[in-house]
Amino acid sequence: MEVKIGVQHAPREIVLESGQSAEEVERVVAEALAGKSQLLSLVDEHGRKVLIPADRLAYVELGEPAPRKVGFGAL
C-alpha cells in the first residue's frame, strides 16, 4: 500500500510502499498523534524503517493496496 506523509516545514512529502495493512498504519498514526509515542514508525516493503517525529506530522494519506504486477508488459 502506498503511504504519503506530509511533514511540517519540509518542501516534499515522504512516499513509501508499505507491506502493513491500512488498519495497522492507521492505528500507528493515531497512537503517534494521541501522544502515546513520540515517533511515527513505519516499515517499507524492503524492510527499511521510516521514523518521523509525531509533532511534525502534517498529514498521512493512505493509498489503495496495489496488486503485484506480473509479466513483461510495456511500462
Short mmCIF file of all heavy atoms in Angstrom, two decimals:
data_model
loop_
_atom_site.label_atom_id
_atom_site.label_comp_id
_atom_site.label_asym_id
_atom_site.label_seq_id
_atom_site.Cartn_x
_atom_site.Cartn_y
_atom_site.Cartn_z
N MET A 1 0.85 -1.17 0.00
CA MET A 1 0.00 0.00 0.00
C MET A 1 0.89 1.23 0.00
O MET A 1 1.91 1.25 0.66
CB MET A 1 -0.90 -0.05 1.22
CG MET A 1 -1.00 1.21 1.99
SD MET A 1 -2.21 1.24 3.26
CE MET A 1 -3.53 0.40 2.55
N GLU A 2 0.48 2.23 -0.76
CA GLU A 2 1.25 3.47 -0.81
C GLU A 2 0.84 4.37 0.35
O GLU A 2 -0.35 4.55 0.62
CB GLU A 2 0.99 4.19 -2.13
CG GLU A 2 1.81 5.45 -2.27
CD GLU A 2 1.56 6.15 -3.58
OE1 GLU A 2 0.44 6.67 -3.76
OE2 GLU A 2 2.47 6.17 -4.41
N VAL A 3 1.84 4.93 1.04
CA VAL A 3 1.61 5.84 2.15
C VAL A 3 2.35 7.14 1.85
O VAL A 3 3.54 7.12 1.57
CB VAL A 3 2.11 5.24 3.49
CG1 VAL A 3 1.85 6.21 4.63
CG2 VAL A 3 1.47 3.90 3.76
N LYS A 4 1.62 8.26 1.87
CA LYS A 4 2.23 9.58 1.69
C LYS A 4 2.15 10.32 3.02
O LYS A 4 1.08 10.38 3.63
CB LYS A 4 1.50 10.38 0.61
CG LYS A 4 1.65 9.82 -0.77
CD LYS A 4 0.94 10.69 -1.77
CE LYS A 4 1.02 10.08 -3.15
NZ LYS A 4 0.30 10.89 -4.14
N ILE A 5 3.28 10.88 3.43
CA ILE A 5 3.34 11.57 4.72
C ILE A 5 3.84 12.99 4.49
O ILE A 5 4.92 13.19 3.94
CB ILE A 5 4.29 10.83 5.69
CG1 ILE A 5 3.84 9.38 5.85
CG2 ILE A 5 4.34 11.55 7.03
CD1 ILE A 5 4.86 8.51 6.52
N GLY A 6 3.04 13.95 4.93
CA GLY A 6 3.45 15.34 4.88
C GLY A 6 4.09 15.72 6.20
O GLY A 6 3.58 15.39 7.26
N VAL A 7 5.23 16.39 6.12
CA VAL A 7 5.97 16.80 7.31
C VAL A 7 6.01 18.33 7.33
O VAL A 7 6.31 18.96 6.31
CB VAL A 7 7.41 16.23 7.30
CG1 VAL A 7 8.17 16.64 8.54
CG2 VAL A 7 7.37 14.71 7.18
N GLN A 8 5.72 18.91 8.49
CA GLN A 8 5.74 20.37 8.62
C GLN A 8 7.13 20.91 8.32
O GLN A 8 8.13 20.30 8.70
CB GLN A 8 5.34 20.78 10.04
CG GLN A 8 3.92 20.44 10.39
CD GLN A 8 3.61 20.78 11.84
OE1 GLN A 8 4.40 21.38 12.55
NE2 GLN A 8 2.43 20.39 12.28
N HIS A 9 7.18 22.03 7.64
CA HIS A 9 8.42 22.74 7.30
C HIS A 9 9.33 21.92 6.40
O HIS A 9 10.54 22.13 6.39
CB HIS A 9 9.18 23.17 8.56
CG HIS A 9 8.33 23.88 9.56
ND1 HIS A 9 7.75 25.11 9.30
CD2 HIS A 9 7.92 23.54 10.79
CE1 HIS A 9 7.04 25.48 10.34
NE2 HIS A 9 7.12 24.55 11.27
N ALA A 10 8.78 20.98 5.65
CA ALA A 10 9.55 20.21 4.67
C ALA A 10 8.90 20.42 3.31
O ALA A 10 7.68 20.29 3.18
CB ALA A 10 9.55 18.73 5.03
N PRO A 11 9.68 20.73 2.29
CA PRO A 11 9.09 21.04 0.99
C PRO A 11 8.51 19.83 0.25
O PRO A 11 7.66 19.99 -0.60
CB PRO A 11 10.25 21.63 0.19
CG PRO A 11 11.47 21.09 0.85
CD PRO A 11 11.12 20.91 2.30
N ARG A 12 8.95 18.63 0.59
CA ARG A 12 8.47 17.43 -0.11
C ARG A 12 7.84 16.47 0.88
O ARG A 12 8.20 16.43 2.05
CB ARG A 12 9.65 16.74 -0.80
CG ARG A 12 10.25 17.58 -1.90
CD ARG A 12 11.45 16.95 -2.53
NE ARG A 12 11.16 15.60 -2.98
CZ ARG A 12 12.07 14.76 -3.40
NH1 ARG A 12 13.33 15.11 -3.41
NH2 ARG A 12 11.73 13.55 -3.80
N GLU A 13 6.90 15.68 0.35
CA GLU A 13 6.29 14.66 1.19
C GLU A 13 7.11 13.37 1.11
O GLU A 13 7.89 13.18 0.18
CB GLU A 13 4.85 14.40 0.74
CG GLU A 13 4.72 13.89 -0.67
CD GLU A 13 3.28 13.89 -1.15
OE1 GLU A 13 2.40 14.46 -0.49
OE2 GLU A 13 3.05 13.30 -2.22
N ILE A 14 6.93 12.51 2.09
CA ILE A 14 7.58 11.21 2.11
C ILE A 14 6.60 10.20 1.53
O ILE A 14 5.45 10.13 1.96
CB ILE A 14 7.96 10.81 3.55
CG1 ILE A 14 8.95 11.82 4.12
CG2 ILE A 14 8.53 9.40 3.59
CD1 ILE A 14 9.19 11.66 5.61
N VAL A 15 7.05 9.44 0.54
CA VAL A 15 6.21 8.43 -0.10
C VAL A 15 6.90 7.09 0.06
O VAL A 15 8.07 6.95 -0.24
CB VAL A 15 6.00 8.73 -1.59
CG1 VAL A 15 5.13 7.67 -2.24
CG2 VAL A 15 5.39 10.11 -1.78
N LEU A 16 6.15 6.09 0.56
CA LEU A 16 6.72 4.76 0.70
C LEU A 16 5.67 3.71 0.43
O LEU A 16 4.48 3.94 0.57
CB LEU A 16 7.34 4.56 2.09
CG LEU A 16 6.41 4.60 3.30
CD1 LEU A 16 6.32 3.22 3.91
CD2 LEU A 16 6.97 5.56 4.31
N GLU A 17 6.14 2.56 -0.02
CA GLU A 17 5.28 1.40 -0.22
C GLU A 17 5.41 0.53 1.02
O GLU A 17 6.51 0.06 1.34
CB GLU A 17 5.71 0.61 -1.46
CG GLU A 17 5.38 1.28 -2.77
CD GLU A 17 3.90 1.29 -3.07
OE1 GLU A 17 3.20 0.35 -2.67
OE2 GLU A 17 3.46 2.25 -3.72
N SER A 18 4.33 0.33 1.72
CA SER A 18 4.36 -0.43 2.97
C SER A 18 3.64 -1.75 2.80
O SER A 18 2.61 -1.83 2.12
CB SER A 18 3.71 0.38 4.08
OG SER A 18 3.68 -0.36 5.28
N GLY A 19 4.17 -2.77 3.44
CA GLY A 19 3.51 -4.07 3.46
C GLY A 19 2.48 -4.18 4.57
O GLY A 19 1.78 -5.18 4.67
N GLN A 20 2.39 -3.15 5.40
CA GLN A 20 1.43 -3.14 6.50
C GLN A 20 0.02 -2.88 5.96
O GLN A 20 -0.15 -2.25 4.92
CB GLN A 20 1.81 -2.07 7.52
CG GLN A 20 3.14 -2.33 8.20
CD GLN A 20 3.60 -1.12 9.01
OE1 GLN A 20 3.81 -0.06 8.46
NE2 GLN A 20 3.75 -1.32 10.30
N SER A 21 -0.97 -3.36 6.69
CA SER A 21 -2.35 -3.13 6.27
C SER A 21 -2.76 -1.69 6.58
O SER A 21 -2.12 -1.00 7.37
CB SER A 21 -3.28 -4.10 6.99
OG SER A 21 -3.34 -3.78 8.38
N ALA A 22 -3.85 -1.25 5.96
CA ALA A 22 -4.35 0.11 6.19
C ALA A 22 -4.73 0.31 7.65
O ALA A 22 -4.48 1.37 8.23
CB ALA A 22 -5.54 0.40 5.28
N GLU A 23 -5.34 -0.71 8.25
CA GLU A 23 -5.75 -0.61 9.66
C GLU A 23 -4.53 -0.48 10.57
O GLU A 23 -4.55 0.27 11.54
CB GLU A 23 -6.57 -1.84 10.06
CG GLU A 23 -7.92 -1.94 9.36
CD GLU A 23 -7.82 -2.52 7.96
OE1 GLU A 23 -6.81 -3.18 7.64
OE2 GLU A 23 -8.75 -2.28 7.17
N GLU A 24 -3.48 -1.22 10.24
CA GLU A 24 -2.26 -1.18 11.05
C GLU A 24 -1.60 0.21 10.96
O GLU A 24 -1.20 0.78 11.98
CB GLU A 24 -1.29 -2.25 10.53
CG GLU A 24 -0.33 -2.77 11.53
CD GLU A 24 0.49 -3.92 10.96
OE1 GLU A 24 0.13 -4.50 9.92
OE2 GLU A 24 1.51 -4.23 11.58
N VAL A 25 -1.50 0.76 9.76
CA VAL A 25 -0.91 2.08 9.58
C VAL A 25 -1.75 3.13 10.29
O VAL A 25 -1.23 4.01 10.98
CB VAL A 25 -0.75 2.41 8.08
CG1 VAL A 25 -0.31 3.85 7.89
CG2 VAL A 25 0.23 1.46 7.41
N GLU A 26 -3.06 3.03 10.16
CA GLU A 26 -3.96 3.99 10.81
C GLU A 26 -3.82 3.94 12.32
O GLU A 26 -3.80 4.97 12.99
CB GLU A 26 -5.40 3.70 10.40
CG GLU A 26 -6.38 4.74 10.86
CD GLU A 26 -7.78 4.49 10.33
OE1 GLU A 26 -7.95 3.64 9.46
OE2 GLU A 26 -8.70 5.17 10.84
N ARG A 27 -3.68 2.74 12.88
CA ARG A 27 -3.52 2.59 14.33
C ARG A 27 -2.21 3.24 14.80
O ARG A 27 -2.18 3.97 15.80
CB ARG A 27 -3.52 1.11 14.71
CG ARG A 27 -3.35 0.85 16.22
CD ARG A 27 -3.28 -0.64 16.53
NE ARG A 27 -2.27 -1.35 15.74
CZ ARG A 27 -0.96 -1.34 16.02
NH1 ARG A 27 -0.50 -0.64 17.02
NH2 ARG A 27 -0.12 -2.02 15.26
N VAL A 28 -1.11 3.01 14.07
CA VAL A 28 0.19 3.57 14.45
C VAL A 28 0.16 5.10 14.37
O VAL A 28 0.69 5.79 15.25
CB VAL A 28 1.30 2.98 13.55
CG1 VAL A 28 2.62 3.67 13.79
CG2 VAL A 28 1.44 1.50 13.78
N VAL A 29 -0.49 5.64 13.33
CA VAL A 29 -0.59 7.09 13.19
C VAL A 29 -1.44 7.67 14.31
O VAL A 29 -1.08 8.69 14.91
CB VAL A 29 -1.18 7.46 11.80
CG1 VAL A 29 -1.52 8.94 11.73
CG2 VAL A 29 -0.22 7.09 10.70
N ALA A 30 -2.55 7.04 14.64
CA ALA A 30 -3.42 7.52 15.72
C ALA A 30 -2.69 7.51 17.06
O ALA A 30 -2.83 8.45 17.85
CB ALA A 30 -4.68 6.65 15.80
N GLU A 31 -1.89 6.48 17.32
CA GLU A 31 -1.12 6.43 18.57
C GLU A 31 -0.10 7.55 18.62
O GLU A 31 0.10 8.17 19.68
CB GLU A 31 -0.42 5.07 18.69
CG GLU A 31 -1.34 3.93 19.03
CD GLU A 31 -0.63 2.59 19.06
OE1 GLU A 31 0.60 2.54 18.84
OE2 GLU A 31 -1.32 1.58 19.31
N ALA A 32 0.55 7.84 17.50
CA ALA A 32 1.54 8.91 17.48
C ALA A 32 0.87 10.27 17.71
O ALA A 32 1.37 11.10 18.45
CB ALA A 32 2.29 8.91 16.15
N LEU A 33 -0.28 10.49 17.09
CA LEU A 33 -0.98 11.77 17.24
C LEU A 33 -1.59 11.92 18.63
O LEU A 33 -1.76 13.04 19.11
CB LEU A 33 -2.05 11.92 16.17
CG LEU A 33 -1.52 12.08 14.74
CD1 LEU A 33 -2.67 12.11 13.76
CD2 LEU A 33 -0.66 13.33 14.62
N ALA A 34 -1.94 10.81 19.27
CA ALA A 34 -2.52 10.87 20.61
C ALA A 34 -1.46 11.06 21.69
O ALA A 34 -1.79 11.27 22.85
CB ALA A 34 -3.31 9.59 20.88
N GLY A 35 -0.20 10.99 21.30
CA GLY A 35 0.87 11.20 22.27
C GLY A 35 1.35 9.93 22.94
O GLY A 35 2.16 9.99 23.87
N LYS A 36 0.88 8.77 22.50
CA LYS A 36 1.32 7.51 23.10
C LYS A 36 2.76 7.19 22.72
O LYS A 36 3.45 6.48 23.44
CB LYS A 36 0.40 6.36 22.69
CG LYS A 36 -0.99 6.49 23.25
CD LYS A 36 -1.85 5.32 22.88
CE LYS A 36 -3.25 5.49 23.45
NZ LYS A 36 -4.12 4.39 23.06
N SER A 37 3.22 7.68 21.55
CA SER A 37 4.61 7.53 21.16
C SER A 37 5.06 8.85 20.53
O SER A 37 4.26 9.57 19.95
CB SER A 37 4.79 6.38 20.16
OG SER A 37 4.11 6.66 18.97
N GLN A 38 6.33 9.15 20.66
CA GLN A 38 6.84 10.41 20.14
C GLN A 38 7.24 10.31 18.68
O GLN A 38 7.45 11.33 18.02
CB GLN A 38 8.03 10.88 20.96
CG GLN A 38 7.66 11.22 22.39
CD GLN A 38 8.85 11.68 23.19
OE1 GLN A 38 9.98 11.64 22.72
NE2 GLN A 38 8.61 12.13 24.40
N LEU A 39 7.34 9.08 18.15
CA LEU A 39 7.73 8.87 16.77
C LEU A 39 6.68 8.06 16.03
O LEU A 39 6.11 7.12 16.57
CB LEU A 39 9.05 8.11 16.69
CG LEU A 39 10.32 8.81 17.13
CD1 LEU A 39 11.48 7.84 17.11
CD2 LEU A 39 10.61 10.00 16.24
N LEU A 40 6.46 8.41 14.78
CA LEU A 40 5.68 7.58 13.87
C LEU A 40 6.68 6.66 13.19
O LEU A 40 7.62 7.13 12.55
CB LEU A 40 4.95 8.42 12.84
CG LEU A 40 4.28 7.65 11.70
CD1 LEU A 40 3.21 6.71 12.24
CD2 LEU A 40 3.71 8.60 10.68
N SER A 41 6.52 5.38 13.34
CA SER A 41 7.45 4.39 12.80
C SER A 41 6.72 3.49 11.83
O SER A 41 5.78 2.80 12.21
CB SER A 41 8.06 3.56 13.94
OG SER A 41 8.86 2.53 13.42
N LEU A 42 7.15 3.52 10.55
CA LEU A 42 6.58 2.66 9.52
C LEU A 42 7.70 1.87 8.85
O LEU A 42 8.83 2.33 8.80
CB LEU A 42 5.84 3.48 8.47
CG LEU A 42 4.63 4.26 8.95
CD1 LEU A 42 4.10 5.15 7.85
CD2 LEU A 42 3.54 3.32 9.43
N VAL A 43 7.36 0.70 8.32
CA VAL A 43 8.34 -0.15 7.64
C VAL A 43 7.91 -0.28 6.18
O VAL A 43 6.75 -0.58 5.90
CB VAL A 43 8.40 -1.54 8.30
CG1 VAL A 43 9.40 -2.43 7.58
CG2 VAL A 43 8.76 -1.41 9.77
N ASP A 44 8.86 -0.04 5.25
CA ASP A 44 8.52 -0.18 3.84
C ASP A 44 8.68 -1.62 3.37
O ASP A 44 9.05 -2.49 4.14
CB ASP A 44 9.31 0.80 2.97
CG ASP A 44 10.77 0.43 2.81
OD1 ASP A 44 11.22 -0.58 3.38
OD2 ASP A 44 11.48 1.17 2.09
N GLU A 45 8.40 -1.87 2.09
CA GLU A 45 8.44 -3.23 1.54
C GLU A 45 9.84 -3.84 1.57
O GLU A 45 9.98 -5.05 1.50
CB GLU A 45 7.90 -3.23 0.11
CG GLU A 45 6.42 -3.07 0.04
CD GLU A 45 5.91 -3.20 -1.38
OE1 GLU A 45 6.68 -2.97 -2.33
OE2 GLU A 45 4.72 -3.53 -1.52
N HIS A 46 10.87 -3.02 1.64
CA HIS A 46 12.24 -3.51 1.64
C HIS A 46 12.79 -3.69 3.06
O HIS A 46 13.96 -3.99 3.24
CB HIS A 46 13.14 -2.56 0.86
CG HIS A 46 12.70 -2.37 -0.56
ND1 HIS A 46 12.84 -3.34 -1.52
CD2 HIS A 46 12.08 -1.34 -1.17
CE1 HIS A 46 12.35 -2.92 -2.66
NE2 HIS A 46 11.87 -1.69 -2.48
N GLY A 47 11.95 -3.48 4.07
CA GLY A 47 12.35 -3.66 5.45
C GLY A 47 12.99 -2.44 6.09
O GLY A 47 13.45 -2.51 7.23
N ARG A 48 13.04 -1.32 5.38
CA ARG A 48 13.61 -0.10 5.94
C ARG A 48 12.59 0.59 6.82
O ARG A 48 11.41 0.65 6.49
CB ARG A 48 14.06 0.84 4.83
CG ARG A 48 15.17 0.27 3.99
CD ARG A 48 15.52 1.21 2.89
NE ARG A 48 14.41 1.27 1.95
CZ ARG A 48 14.55 1.34 0.63
NH1 ARG A 48 15.74 1.41 0.11
NH2 ARG A 48 13.49 1.39 -0.15
N LYS A 49 13.06 1.12 7.95
CA LYS A 49 12.18 1.85 8.86
C LYS A 49 12.23 3.33 8.55
O LYS A 49 13.28 3.89 8.31
CB LYS A 49 12.63 1.65 10.31
CG LYS A 49 11.95 0.53 11.00
CD LYS A 49 12.23 0.60 12.49
CE LYS A 49 11.40 -0.45 13.17
NZ LYS A 49 11.63 -0.46 14.60
N VAL A 50 11.06 3.96 8.60
CA VAL A 50 10.94 5.40 8.45
C VAL A 50 10.42 5.93 9.78
O VAL A 50 9.36 5.51 10.25
CB VAL A 50 9.96 5.76 7.30
CG1 VAL A 50 9.79 7.26 7.20
CG2 VAL A 50 10.44 5.18 6.00
N LEU A 51 11.18 6.83 10.39
CA LEU A 51 10.81 7.41 11.69
C LEU A 51 10.57 8.90 11.51
O LEU A 51 11.42 9.62 10.99
CB LEU A 51 11.92 7.19 12.71
CG LEU A 51 12.32 5.74 12.96
CD1 LEU A 51 13.57 5.68 13.81
CD2 LEU A 51 11.19 4.99 13.63
N ILE A 52 9.42 9.37 11.98
CA ILE A 52 9.06 10.78 11.86
C ILE A 52 8.57 11.26 13.21
O ILE A 52 7.72 10.61 13.83
CB ILE A 52 7.95 10.97 10.81
CG1 ILE A 52 8.42 10.41 9.47
CG2 ILE A 52 7.56 12.42 10.68
CD1 ILE A 52 7.31 10.10 8.53
N PRO A 53 9.08 12.40 13.70
CA PRO A 53 8.58 12.94 14.97
C PRO A 53 7.09 13.22 14.87
O PRO A 53 6.63 13.85 13.92
CB PRO A 53 9.38 14.23 15.16
CG PRO A 53 10.57 14.09 14.27
CD PRO A 53 10.15 13.22 13.13
N ALA A 54 6.33 12.75 15.82
CA ALA A 54 4.87 12.87 15.79
C ALA A 54 4.41 14.33 15.79
O ALA A 54 3.41 14.66 15.16
CB ALA A 54 4.26 12.13 16.98
N ASP A 55 5.16 15.21 16.44
CA ASP A 55 4.74 16.61 16.49
C ASP A 55 5.01 17.36 15.18
O ASP A 55 4.61 18.49 15.03
CB ASP A 55 5.41 17.32 17.66
CG ASP A 55 6.92 17.35 17.57
OD1 ASP A 55 7.50 16.57 16.79
OD2 ASP A 55 7.54 18.16 18.30
N ARG A 56 5.66 16.72 14.20
CA ARG A 56 5.94 17.34 12.91
C ARG A 56 5.03 16.83 11.79
O ARG A 56 5.16 17.24 10.66
CB ARG A 56 7.39 17.08 12.49
CG ARG A 56 8.39 17.64 13.44
CD ARG A 56 8.48 19.13 13.28
NE ARG A 56 9.54 19.64 14.13
CZ ARG A 56 9.41 20.72 14.86
NH1 ARG A 56 8.29 21.40 14.83
NH2 ARG A 56 10.40 21.13 15.60
N LEU A 57 4.11 15.92 12.12
CA LEU A 57 3.21 15.37 11.10
C LEU A 57 2.22 16.43 10.63
O LEU A 57 1.58 17.09 11.43
CB LEU A 57 2.42 14.19 11.65
CG LEU A 57 3.18 12.89 11.83
CD1 LEU A 57 2.28 11.86 12.51
CD2 LEU A 57 3.68 12.37 10.52
N ALA A 58 2.11 16.59 9.32
CA ALA A 58 1.11 17.48 8.75
C ALA A 58 -0.10 16.67 8.28
O ALA A 58 -1.23 17.03 8.55
CB ALA A 58 1.70 18.27 7.59
N TYR A 59 0.15 15.56 7.56
CA TYR A 59 -0.93 14.68 7.11
C TYR A 59 -0.35 13.32 6.75
O TYR A 59 0.84 13.17 6.51
CB TYR A 59 -1.67 15.26 5.90
CG TYR A 59 -0.82 15.42 4.67
CD1 TYR A 59 -0.71 14.38 3.74
CD2 TYR A 59 -0.12 16.59 4.42
CE1 TYR A 59 0.08 14.51 2.61
CE2 TYR A 59 0.66 16.73 3.30
CZ TYR A 59 0.76 15.70 2.40
OH TYR A 59 1.54 15.84 1.29
N VAL A 60 -1.22 12.32 6.71
CA VAL A 60 -0.87 10.98 6.26
C VAL A 60 -1.97 10.53 5.30
O VAL A 60 -3.14 10.56 5.65
CB VAL A 60 -0.74 9.98 7.44
CG1 VAL A 60 -0.45 8.58 6.93
CG2 VAL A 60 0.33 10.44 8.42
N GLU A 61 -1.57 10.16 4.11
CA GLU A 61 -2.53 9.72 3.09
C GLU A 61 -2.28 8.25 2.78
O GLU A 61 -1.16 7.85 2.45
CB GLU A 61 -2.32 10.56 1.82
CG GLU A 61 -3.26 10.23 0.70
CD GLU A 61 -2.98 11.11 -0.51
OE1 GLU A 61 -2.75 12.32 -0.35
OE2 GLU A 61 -2.99 10.55 -1.62
N LEU A 62 -3.33 7.45 2.90
CA LEU A 62 -3.23 6.02 2.64
C LEU A 62 -3.81 5.74 1.27
O LEU A 62 -4.96 6.10 0.99
CB LEU A 62 -3.98 5.21 3.70
CG LEU A 62 -3.54 5.44 5.15
CD1 LEU A 62 -4.43 4.65 6.08
CD2 LEU A 62 -2.10 5.06 5.34
N GLY A 63 -3.04 5.06 0.42
CA GLY A 63 -3.50 4.72 -0.93
C GLY A 63 -4.12 3.34 -0.95
O GLY A 63 -4.17 2.62 0.04
N GLU A 64 -4.58 2.98 -2.12
CA GLU A 64 -5.17 1.67 -2.33
C GLU A 64 -4.07 0.61 -2.33
O GLU A 64 -2.98 0.86 -2.83
CB GLU A 64 -5.91 1.63 -3.67
CG GLU A 64 -7.11 2.51 -3.73
CD GLU A 64 -8.25 1.97 -2.89
OE1 GLU A 64 -8.43 0.75 -2.85
OE2 GLU A 64 -8.95 2.78 -2.28
N PRO A 65 -4.36 -0.57 -1.81
CA PRO A 65 -3.38 -1.65 -1.94
C PRO A 65 -3.18 -1.98 -3.42
O PRO A 65 -4.15 -2.20 -4.14
CB PRO A 65 -4.02 -2.82 -1.20
CG PRO A 65 -5.15 -2.26 -0.43
CD PRO A 65 -5.52 -0.94 -1.06
N ALA A 66 -1.93 -1.96 -3.87
CA ALA A 66 -1.65 -2.21 -5.29
C ALA A 66 -1.35 -3.69 -5.50
O ALA A 66 -0.54 -4.27 -4.78
CB ALA A 66 -0.45 -1.37 -5.72
N PRO A 67 -2.00 -4.31 -6.49
CA PRO A 67 -1.69 -5.71 -6.78
C PRO A 67 -0.32 -5.81 -7.42
O PRO A 67 0.14 -4.88 -8.07
CB PRO A 67 -2.78 -6.12 -7.76
CG PRO A 67 -3.23 -4.84 -8.39
CD PRO A 67 -3.03 -3.77 -7.34
N ARG A 68 0.34 -6.93 -7.21
CA ARG A 68 1.66 -7.15 -7.81
C ARG A 68 1.53 -7.27 -9.32
O ARG A 68 0.64 -7.92 -9.82
CB ARG A 68 2.29 -8.42 -7.27
CG ARG A 68 2.91 -8.20 -5.95
CD ARG A 68 3.95 -9.29 -5.71
NE ARG A 68 4.52 -9.03 -4.43
CZ ARG A 68 5.67 -8.41 -4.26
NH1 ARG A 68 6.37 -8.05 -5.29
NH2 ARG A 68 6.12 -8.19 -3.06
N LYS A 69 2.47 -6.64 -10.02
CA LYS A 69 2.48 -6.72 -11.47
C LYS A 69 3.31 -7.93 -11.87
O LYS A 69 4.38 -8.16 -11.34
CB LYS A 69 3.09 -5.45 -12.06
CG LYS A 69 2.25 -4.23 -11.77
CD LYS A 69 2.87 -2.98 -12.32
CE LYS A 69 2.03 -1.79 -11.93
NZ LYS A 69 2.63 -0.54 -12.30
N VAL A 70 2.78 -8.69 -12.83
CA VAL A 70 3.45 -9.89 -13.30
C VAL A 70 3.59 -9.80 -14.81
O VAL A 70 2.66 -9.39 -15.50
CB VAL A 70 2.64 -11.15 -12.91
CG1 VAL A 70 3.31 -12.39 -13.45
CG2 VAL A 70 2.47 -11.22 -11.41
N GLY A 71 4.75 -10.17 -15.32
CA GLY A 71 4.92 -10.20 -16.76
C GLY A 71 5.93 -9.19 -17.24
O GLY A 71 6.58 -8.50 -16.46
N PHE A 72 6.02 -9.10 -18.56
CA PHE A 72 6.99 -8.23 -19.18
C PHE A 72 6.31 -7.16 -20.02
O PHE A 72 6.77 -6.78 -21.08
CB PHE A 72 7.94 -9.06 -20.08
CG PHE A 72 8.77 -10.02 -19.30
CD1 PHE A 72 8.42 -11.36 -19.24
CD2 PHE A 72 9.89 -9.58 -18.61
CE1 PHE A 72 9.18 -12.25 -18.51
CE2 PHE A 72 10.65 -10.47 -17.88
CZ PHE A 72 10.30 -11.82 -17.83
N GLY A 73 5.19 -6.66 -19.58
CA GLY A 73 4.43 -5.66 -20.31
C GLY A 73 5.17 -4.34 -20.40
O GLY A 73 6.09 -4.04 -19.64
N ALA A 74 4.78 -3.52 -21.34
CA ALA A 74 5.37 -2.18 -21.51
C ALA A 74 4.92 -1.31 -20.35
O ALA A 74 3.78 -1.35 -19.91
CB ALA A 74 4.94 -1.58 -22.83
N LEU A 75 5.82 -0.48 -19.88
CA LEU A 75 5.51 0.42 -18.77
C LEU A 75 4.94 1.71 -19.25
O LEU A 75 5.22 2.31 -20.14
CB LEU A 75 6.75 0.67 -17.92
CG LEU A 75 7.31 -0.57 -17.26
CD1 LEU A 75 8.59 -0.22 -16.52
CD2 LEU A 75 6.31 -1.14 -16.29
#
